[in-house]
Amino acid sequence: MAHSRREAVRATRQITIVNKLGLHARPAAQFVRRANAFRSEIWIVTKAGRFSALSLIDVMRANLDCGTVATLEAHGTDADEAVERLAKLVKELPDYDD
């Protein structure tokens, strides 16, 4: 019996943080919740290092202020979809006033 198995792929996408307050607490939490919906391992890469997009603490440590340019990296069966949807989310996150 043949199984249709999706192979793990690697995908990257450059993002720019446009939220005027950056990826602070609320938008970071929303981003992490969405990232955790994917099966892939997902990272945010900045000049400061590589941070897990699946961890709120890591996303906060990435210091993603407005104007920051970063790279989303994903590795897994849904990597392309993950970077595409997360990049779109970053563009659309509302400017909460914490």
Side-chain angles (χ1 to χ4, degrees):
M1 183 165 133
H3 289 283
S4 174
R5 199 176 92 167
R6 293 180 65 186
E7 291 186 30
V9 297
R10 186 171 300 275
T12 62
R13 173 86 43 104
Q14 187 173 15
I15 59 169
T16 301
I17 305 303
V18 295
N19 184 311
K20 70 181 179 183
L21 301 173
L23 226 57
H24 61 95
R26 276 191 233 168
Q30 187 175 353
F31 178 86
V32 170
R33 274 193 304 277
R34 188 75 57 90
N36 275 288
F38 296 100
R39 296 165 111 159
S40 296
E41 295 178 53
I42 307 167
W43 299 275
I44 299 168
V45 182
T46 69
K47 291 179 183 178
R50 195 168 192 239
F51 304 90
S52 173
L54 307 177
S55 163
L56 181 57
I57 292 171
D58 263 19
V59 172
M60 297 298 292
R61 284 182 46 230
N63 293 321
L64 299 169
D65 297 325
C66 186
T68 298
V69 176
T71 301
L72 287 176
E73 288 183 359
H75 182 259
T77 57
D78 57 359
D80 287 324
E81 182 182 5
V83 296
E84 181 180 327
R85 288 198 182 179
L86 291 172
K88 184 175 186 237
L89 176 66
V90 166
K91 288 180 186 177
E92 297 171 350
L93 284 170
D95 293 323
Y96 295 104
D97 290 325
D98 275 0

